[in-house]
Amino acid sequence: MRKQGYTLIEMMISIALGLIIILFVSNLYLSSKESYRINQDYAQLVQDGRSVMALLGRNLTQAGFGNPVGLGDQTTFDAALSTDFNYPVTTPARRAFSACDNGFARLSDLTDFSCSTSSVNVGRTAFHVSYRGDKLNTNSGAGTDCNGQKPSVTGDVIVNRFYLTISSGSTTKTLNCLGNGNTAFAQPLLNNVEDMRLTYGVDTNGDQVADYFVNTATGIDFKNVVSVAICLQISSTNSIAPVTSQASKPQVFTDCNGARQTASVTDRKLHAVLSSVFTLRNRAASSLYSYE
């Protein structure tokens, strides 16, 4: 008995269907792989940002921690002057917190709080914190500055300055920290920082609660600042988004100014914006005491 085989047309149809299925499965795999890679890169970007935000927060919440010097007159701003790092101070390095919209004029002089007037530093927010470290527990790292250096200062005074720089040949900023353990060495904390903005909660009646908020350090009396909000806008190092997807679905995000931004077709990097509010708890410490 003669067996019936496939005709040429049937073979061609089978091959075509097989190719379509293979093409569909391949596209599905590549799309899933690309989506997974983007999600992983975004998760890593956010994780890096949160780690640095936590470091900034730890410093801000420690700002002004020191030796108690009395509660002062409870009817004035002296009610918050409960440590030797709060105002008024006779030692410049004891300033608990200070900030500049465009960086400090003399960055490595940790006792100089004057702000830069150079056009090069425009938009490079910087802030300064100081507090006493933990001299009894040297293994905790609490007695070291942001570079892990132990300052040779009586009383284990920690002074850290956080500021933005732009490396040669780069268009993005790097967030750095300079500590008083070694003022010749600054530690880069986070690359590809597109913007860092600080908003200051100002107390006007001495109850250690912010009465209004300002987004500029100009004209602020820092003895009245009781909270600081930080916004970090960061981007990925490498190009992530495919050209085709970026052209059809551009990245949209809200920047630190609250403005909606749409990335250009040529901008294939991921963008993330993180924000958090930190209380300068040593400025508000006196509210924890009973005055009865």
Side-chain angles (χ1 to χ4, degrees), residues 18-36 242 244:
L19 290 175
I20 291 174
I21 293 174
I22 292 173
L23 181 62
F24 174 77
V25 173
S26 298
N27 284 336
L28 181 61
Y29 169 75
L30 292 175
S31 176
S32 299
K33 182 180 179 181
E34 186 67 27
S35 178
Y36 174 79
T244 53

Side-chain angles (χ1 to χ4, degrees), residues 205-220:
N205 57 11
D207 62 358
Q208 284 75 61
V209 177
D211 297 300
Y212 67 92
F213 297 86
V214 292
N215 56 12
T216 176
T218 303
I220 287 185

Side-chain angles (χ1 to χ4, degrees), residues 45-55 234 274:
L45 178 66
V46 172
Q47 181 178 339
D48 292 343
R50 286 177 176 171
S51 296
V52 170
M53 187 72 81
L55 173 64
I234 56 180
L274 301 92

Side-chain angles (χ1 to χ4, degrees), residues 205-283:
N205 57 11
D207 62 358
Q208 284 75 61
V209 177
D211 297 300
Y212 67 92
F213 297 86
V214 292
N215 56 12
T216 176
T218 303
I220 287 185
D221 188 347
F222 288 105
K223 75 179 181 183
N224 301 334
V225 174
V226 294
S227 64
V228 177
I230 299 181
C231 179
L232 282 176
Q233 180 179 322
I234 56 180
S235 63
S236 59
T237 302
N238 302 317
S239 296
I240 304 296
V243 177
T244 53
S245 66
Q246 177 64 358
S248 59
K249 296 180 179 180
Q251 302 169 61
V252 178
F253 59 95
T254 301
D255 64 17
C256 287
N257 290 320
R260 186 179 177 86
Q261 299 291 341
T262 301
S264 65
V265 176
T266 57
D267 180 7
R268 296 167 54 204
K269 295 183 178 181
L270 293 174
H271 300 269
V273 179
L274 301 92
S275 60
S276 191
V277 181
F278 303 100
T279 299
L280 276 63
R281 58 190 182 194
N282 294 294
R283 287 289 304 140

Side-chain angles (χ1 to χ4, degrees), residues 64-74 78-90 94 132 282 285 289:
F65 177 78
N67 295 326
V69 294
L71 297 178
D73 180 359
Q74 303 306 316
D78 286 341
L81 307 180
S82 55
T83 77
D84 54 354
F85 277 84
N86 290 321
Y87 291 75
V89 293
T90 56
R94 299 292 175 82
R132 288 192 183 276
N282 294 294
Y289 289 90

